[in-house]
Amino acid sequence: MHACLHPPDGADFAADEPIEVARIRLWNPSSATALLGEFYSADRVLARWGSLHDGRPVGFEVTFHDGYVVSGSHAFFRKGKRRCLLATHVRRLLERAASQADAGIPVPRPDLSRYAIPA
């Protein structure tokens, strides 16, 4: 599993306004690509791909309306069983970035309370 975080370029949103997902792009090892607008639809595509493939990592890129991008690859299925939902994986990546920023590692620090990621 690998991930990459790209901070927004000075986007300005109201402090109490949740930042929604603009798009989710998925691609699998057999070169199929899906472009979606919500985590629920992405999980349905991942479930379908998980039933067709041998559990190899799937690439993903989640772009939020403020321009923040979370991308990487992850094996969402192992031996036919789901490891985690895409939303759970993205939330963990953002939490890891926030904890690294707290530890003094120079990474963009996302405000996790702002991003609309389903539980």
Side-chain angles (χ1 to χ4, degrees):
M1 187 251 354
H2 78 276
C4 187
L5 302 172
H6 302 282
D9 293 328
D12 189 27
F13 282 83
D16 60 343
E17 182 180 343
I19 301 170
E20 301 285 336
V21 169
R23 80 170 174 245
I24 299 171
R25 188 169 64 98
L26 305 172
W27 59 94
N28 68 20
S30 63
S31 299
T33 301
L35 189 59
L36 307 152
E38 62 183 8
F39 283 104
Y40 176 74
S41 297
D43 288 328
R44 289 182 55 151
V45 169
L46 289 170
R48 177 74 177 138
W49 287 354
S51 68
L52 298 175
H53 299 286
D54 60 0
R56 290 180 287 173
V58 172
F60 67 91
E61 180 180 85
V62 178
T63 304
F64 292 91
H65 279 288
D66 69 345
Y68 204 89
V69 178
V70 179
S71 63
S73 66
H74 185 65
F76 289 96
F77 291 86
R78 185 169 282 160
K79 297 182 182 175
K81 296 186 180 184
R82 180 181 291 279
R83 281 183 74 184
C84 70
L85 300 173
L86 178 62
T88 303
H89 184 62
V90 169
R91 187 179 313 101
R92 287 176 185 163
L93 292 174
L94 290 172
E95 288 169 353
R96 185 177 307 143
S99 69
Q100 288 175 342
D102 290 341
I105 299 170
V107 296
R109 187 189 197 320
D111 180 1
L112 300 178
S113 65
R114 302 278 321 272
Y115 293 95
I117 302 173

